[in-house]
Amino acid sequence: MKPRQKRIALIVGGLASLAVAAGLALNALDSNIALYVTPTEVVAGKIPQDKAFRIGGLVKEGSIKRDNMTVYFVITDTAKEIPVSYTGILPDLFRDGKGAVVQGRLEGNGVFAATEVLAKHDENYMPPEAQHAIDQAQKTPAPVVTQ
């Protein structure tokens, strides 16, 4: 093999290796990214299909029910509500009326099966996306019912 052919083969092999490494890295990133949506967007059907995603909002007052290690509660953005089930240990700061973000998948029965629950870390903190969703839901006028 001539020196020129060796250099070309080396460059092609290096580029192929770089492409494979980049493909593997992008695949790993894609599988670990969870899109954030609000309860209003979930009800409207704007959710990723066959992928985990996050829902943020407030834990509805009086909605927390416990059954051994499974906890059932409702996440709301004050306009729409999504029932959530979570099996595991909840964060210490998880309470009624406080901000929370849950990650998981929406089941066929409309219940969000959470794999992770994140709670706010102090009295003034709420995820920016959750605060924005609550602000937008409060700005939306209530439908007028006429008879």
Side-chain angles (χ1 to χ4, degrees), residues 121-133:
H121 60 76
D122 69 14
E123 291 302 316
N124 300 320
Y125 177 77
M126 179 177 292
E129 298 90 353
Q131 183 63 51
H132 177 71

Side-chain angles (χ1 to χ4, degrees), residues 55-71:
I55 300 175
L58 300 174
V59 178
K60 184 177 177 183
E61 292 283 341
S63 69
I64 299 175
K65 309 282 187 265
R66 299 178 190 275
D67 181 19
N68 291 327
M69 288 294 290
T70 303
V71 180

Side-chain angles (χ1 to χ4, degrees), residues 1-144:
M1 207 184 256
K2 295 181 182 178
R4 182 172 184 213
Q5 291 174 330
K6 287 181 182 179
R7 268 185 263 136
I8 290 174
L10 186 61
I11 290 171
V12 169
L15 289 175
S17 298
L18 185 62
V20 168
L24 291 173
L26 289 174
N27 185 32
L29 285 174
D30 184 49
S31 64
N32 289 326
I33 291 176
L35 179 67
Y36 177 88
V37 295
T38 64
T40 300
E41 292 171 330
V42 172
V43 171
K46 299 177 183 177
I47 59 172
Q49 299 299 319
D50 300 325
K51 291 185 89 173
F53 61 96
R54 291 182 175 178
I55 300 175
L58 300 174
V59 178
K60 184 177 177 183
E61 292 283 341
S63 69
I64 299 175
K65 309 282 187 265
R66 299 178 190 275
D67 181 19
N68 291 327
M69 288 294 290
T70 303
V71 180
Y72 302 95
F73 57 96
V74 174
I75 289 286
T76 181
D77 60 3
T78 68
K80 302 291 181 181
E81 300 176 347
I82 300 296
V84 178
S85 70
Y86 174 70
T87 302
I89 299 172
L90 290 169
D92 291 337
L93 297 173
F94 182 85
R95 289 185 176 66
D96 282 343
K98 302 296 181 180
V101 175
V102 294
Q103 180 173 328
R105 296 176 186 267
L106 192 63
E107 295 178 339
N109 59 2
V111 175
F112 188 80
T115 56
E116 183 178 10
V117 175
L118 306 170
K120 65 182 191 61
H121 60 76
D122 69 14
E123 291 302 316
N124 300 320
Y125 177 77
M126 179 177 292
E129 298 90 353
Q131 183 63 51
H132 177 71
I134 290 170
D135 293 342
Q136 291 299 325
Q138 290 174 345
K139 289 179 186 177
T140 305
V144 177

